[in-house]
Amino acid sequence: MRVLLLISVLITVAYAGKCRQWDSNVVVPDKRYDYDSKTMNPIRFKTVSNPSLTEAWVTFYFGGSWGQLRFSENGWGVELYACTEANLYDGKNTLTGVPDGPERIWEVSWDNDKFYLDCNGKNVWTYSFDDFIYADRDCRGVYTKSLTQFEFNGDRRNINPPTEFYTLAKWDSNDVVPDKRYDYDSKTMNPIRFKTVSNPSLTEAWVT
């Protein structure tokens, strides 16, 4: 895919590519991390398999409410707290097509309708909030609130906490050359981001 910036009016500098690189941070189990939607969306973390510790738990805090994602390498059962069955080993809710380990990079995100879990760039579980089995206010009603903090649990039996979590690096700026076609890179240019400076005599901006 190529992007042609037919911008002869307003745009003087475009963030036609951002440095979508992730900075790694060592996980401290059971520590609450403040959530920053600009650098932590999606919540991204790394696990390393341990045959004797098969579960990963991530807890989310929404002010006075909380939610939790749990999954296990032993059968890849998954639970979204207050939305699905709590048993990771009954086969009712499972991840599908999880890439081989031992190292895996996970990404957690959600919107007003669904909860998503990706592994190594591949979606392995999508949950619709319409499928709740408990009260809607405890499922969708919690996860669609503003996330304030999260933690990687480590104080339970059989938990293997992630080793790292990641935050997005800053954007790199690039001068716009009007009418030039830029090669699109989904890893560094998603979303396409650019800056405009108002000019009363030139009021339109075109991106092709």
Side-chain angles (χ1 to χ4, degrees), residues 59-95:
T59 302
F60 313 102
Y61 297 95
F62 307 87
S65 305
W66 64 276
Q68 189 176 72
L69 172 71
R70 302 191 305 140
F71 58 87
S72 172
E73 284 194 52
N74 183 8
W76 292 118
V78 60
E79 178 210 9
L80 188 61
Y81 179 76
C83 296
T84 69
E85 296 283 355
N87 190 338
L88 295 180
Y89 304 100
D90 62 5
K92 292 184 177 180
N93 296 282
T94 58
L95 309 183

Side-chain angles (χ1 to χ4, degrees), residues 120-131:
N120 292 358
K122 175 185 178 182
N123 180 255
V124 294
W125 192 58
T126 297
Y127 174 79
S128 172
F129 291 128
D130 290 337
D131 295 334

Side-chain angles (χ1 to χ4, degrees), residues 5-11 178-179 202 204 206:
L5 296 181
L6 295 173
I7 305 169
S8 57
V9 284
L10 292 177
I11 300 177
D179 302 318
L202 299 170
E204 296 182 7
W206 296 16

